[in-house]
Amino acid sequence: MSLYCGIACRRKSLWCYRLLSTYVTKTRYLLELKEDDDACKTAQQTGAFYLFHSLAPLLQKSEHQYLAPQHSLSELEKLLAKFGQDTQRIEDSVLLGCSEKHEAWFALDLVLNSSSPINASLQKPQMETELKGSFIELRKALFQLNEKDASLLSTAQALLRWHDAHQFCSRSGQPSKKNMAGSKRVCPSNKIIYYPQMAPVVITLVSDGTQCLLARQSSFPKGMYSALAGFCDIGESLEEAVRREVAEEVGLEVERLQYSASQHWPFPNSSLMIACHATVKPGQTEIQVNLRELEAAAWFSHDEVATALRRNNPYTQQQNGTFPFWLPPKLAIAHQLIKEWVEKPTCSALPA
Ligand SMILES: NC(=O)c1ccc[n+]([C@@H]2O[C@H](COP(=O)([O-])OP(=O)(O)OC[C@H]3O[C@@H](n4cnc5c(N)ncnc54)[C@H](O)[C@@H]3O)[C@@H](O)[C@H]2O)c1
Ligand SMILES: [Mg+2]
């Protein structure tokens, strides 16, 4: 779908209308919904809503997958009435995106509340029966969702969590007010604007040219190893954060760095994961694990990693009681980084 831009551009004293791509018109539409409360409210009339309960999304099980059901505004109004809640609550919803046909997608948490008093007469199990689904912790469901739902629900959870945790102006102590789309909050007394925040995190796959370094924290599922990750410190560049994290966690110095990709990660708060490949100096491969941060770290051969990437059922305990070495699932950027290395082990190029 393409639309003519409403904004005319002047060229050689003639007004011409530029043909805009679907992507551009969609982006401009979403920007309008973020900036104009009335336009956003109008978009809710034809929009679709994803529902949450204490930050757990409503899901329906379908074979080996979870599906995220959508509700129209009129369905949502009926549900809220059944749950003993005011339809005013719909204004607590947050905008997630829209389809190519400009159907806007929103998320609403039926329990967390940022503006109106809770009057939920129904309990969670009764809500689940009414909604023909279950509220499932996103961490448990993420890897059984399709890519689109995983991305939308991650954004939704991050936004809903941010609004729940930022209801007051940190300068005046007064309640701040969410805009209709949920893209910001404003303090009515001093007009300070607060925007949802993400913490930058570097995730680095260190290689010595033939092997790669993987590590695990005690909180990881048994047998799972991942690339080294760490929050950026204030004032640091990405390159500095990568060098520091690798040195802190495994006692090595990296010398070459190559950016790979990035990903929004909703856990435990909102992070922007920035993934890189890095190499250590030849011969400098002796790991000194920082046991305050990691349970274990080790070098793995190309074959070991390639085999682990193909493993289907990583949770199966072996007869000797141990768990096989396995890697994060496809949706995690760590998986992409490791896969990239398996396909092209010499992918670190730039000096760190
Ligand atoms: N998507 C993926 O593939 C993937 C893979 C690995 C890790 N991760 C995520 O990366 C994040 C960081 O990894 P890590 O735990 O090894 O980080 P880390 O090595 O920086 O250690 C965490 C510690 O850093 C400190 N810290 C500093 N700034 C912080 C901030 N803004 N928020 C929270 N803690 C902060 C805290 O003391 C915390 O305990 C984790 O939240 C994890 O979920 C994602
Ligand atoms: Mg770490």
Side-chain angles (χ1 to χ4, degrees), residues 139 142-143 198-203 217 219-220 224 226-234 244-245 248-249 263-273 275 292-294 328-337:
R139 233 181 222 285
L142 190 68
F143 301 116
M198 294 192 288
V201 172
V202 285
I203 175 159
Q217 296 179 5
S219 57
F220 284 7
M224 191 188 90
S226 187
L228 300 174
F231 291 94
C232 294
D233 277 352
I234 206 144
R244 177 185 52 76
E245 275 297 330
E248 276 180 10
E249 298 199 345
Q263 173 185 54
H264 169 251
W265 192 243
F267 315 119
N269 288 306
S270 232
S271 294
L272 176 64
M273 305 292 306
R292 275 187 305 182
E293 303 219 8
L294 298 175
K330 277 196 184 111
L331 231 63
I333 201 159
H335 182 101
Q336 304 300 329
L337 200 56

Side-chain angles (χ1 to χ4, degrees), residues 52 183-184:
F52 283 70
S183 57
K184 61 185 173 189

Side-chain angles (χ1 to χ4, degrees), residues 55-59 66 128 134-141:
L55 297 178
L58 175 73
L59 298 173
Y66 282 117
E128 290 178 325
S134 308
F135 294 107
I136 298 177
E137 235 186 280
L138 187 58
R139 233 181 222 285
K140 291 187 184 148

Side-chain angles (χ1 to χ4, degrees), residues 206 211-216 225 250 287 289 296-300:
V206 177
Q211 308 172 95
C212 78
L213 198 161
L214 298 168
R216 53 172 282 108
Y225 279 72
V250 291
I287 300 169
V289 181
W299 290 104
F300 291 84

Side-chain angles (χ1 to χ4, degrees), residues 39-338:
C40 191
K41 205 157 182 176
T42 304
Q44 288 178 352
Q45 305 291 323
T46 51
F49 291 78
Y50 293 91
L51 300 180
F52 283 70
H53 187 290
S54 305
L55 297 178
L58 175 73
L59 298 173
Q60 287 165 346
K61 189 91 184 160
S62 155
E63 305 217 337
H64 302 297
Q65 251 208 326
Y66 282 117
L67 301 174
Q70 297 180 330
H71 292 85
S72 68
L73 182 69
S74 60
E75 286 169 340
L76 181 58
E77 284 170 344
K78 282 183 204 139
L79 285 166
L80 288 174
K82 273 193 188 157
F83 299 160
Q85 297 189 16
D86 197 322
T87 50
Q88 182 75 17
R89 292 232 45 222
I90 292 167
E91 297 199 0
D92 294 332
S93 59
V94 292
L95 174 70
L96 307 176
C98 72
S99 71
E100 292 193 348
K101 294 187 173 153
H102 294 190
E103 176 200 53
W105 301 317
F106 298 89
L108 176 68
D109 196 298
L110 295 168
V111 176
L112 293 186
N113 196 295
S114 48
S115 65
S116 52
I118 302 175
N119 179 22
S121 59
L122 280 184
Q123 297 302 307
K124 187 173 151 196
Q126 294 165 286
M127 284 184 177
E128 290 178 325
T129 307
E130 188 63 46
L131 292 162
K132 299 182 182 64
S134 308
F135 294 107
I136 298 177
E137 235 186 280
L138 187 58
R139 233 181 222 285
K140 291 187 184 148
L142 190 68
F143 301 116
Q144 289 175 63
L145 288 165
N146 65 41
E147 221 170 300
K148 179 192 157 218
D149 284 351
S151 165
L152 279 177
L153 296 185
S154 296
T155 305
Q157 194 198 53
L159 264 178
L160 292 167
R161 182 191 285 115
W162 182 81
H163 281 286
D164 186 52
H166 294 82
Q167 293 180 43
F168 295 89
C169 170
S170 56
R171 175 65 61 85
S172 69
Q174 298 294 312
S176 57
K177 193 171 179 315
K178 165 187 163 297
N179 70 339
M180 196 61 72
S183 57
K184 61 185 173 189
R185 301 185 73 89
V186 182
C187 173
S189 68
N190 56 26
K191 308 290 178 243
I192 293 178
I193 304 173
Y194 294 90
Y195 294 98
Q197 292 157 347
M198 294 192 288
V201 172
V202 285
I203 175 159
T204 313
L205 188 64
V206 177
S207 159
D208 69 353
T210 54
Q211 308 172 95
C212 78
L213 198 161
L214 298 168
R216 53 172 282 108
Q217 296 179 5
S218 53
S219 57
F220 284 7
K222 290 198 169 65
M224 191 188 90
Y225 279 72
S226 187
L228 300 174
F231 291 94
C232 294
D233 277 352
I234 206 144
E236 264 182 343
S237 66
L238 290 182
E239 293 83 350
E240 287 165 341
V242 168
R243 285 195 77 192
R244 177 185 52 76
E245 275 297 330
V246 175
E248 276 180 10
E249 298 199 345
V250 291
L252 293 172
E253 274 201 55
V254 289
E255 81 171 341
R256 292 184 171 277
L257 199 62
Q258 188 184 40
Y259 170 76
S260 166
S262 66
Q263 173 185 54
H264 169 251
W265 192 243
F267 315 119
N269 288 306
S270 232
S271 294
L272 176 64
M273 305 292 306
I274 303 137
C276 300
H277 293 277
T279 45
V280 284
K281 289 181 184 157
Q284 297 192 10
T285 54
E286 195 184 325
I287 300 169
Q288 287 178 356
V289 181
N290 180 345
L291 294 171
R292 275 187 305 182
E293 303 219 8
L294 298 175
E295 186 182 82
W299 290 104
F300 291 84
S301 71
H302 187 272
D303 274 1
E304 282 174 301
V305 178
T307 308
L309 271 181
R310 290 193 295 268
R311 210 158 258 147
N312 279 333
N313 192 358
Y315 292 98
T316 317
Q317 197 166 6
Q318 291 169 333
Q319 277 182 341
N320 62 6
T322 61
F323 285 81
F325 158 58
W326 62 286
L327 298 164
K330 277 196 184 111
L331 231 63
I333 201 159
H335 182 101
Q336 304 300 329
L337 200 56
I338 296 165

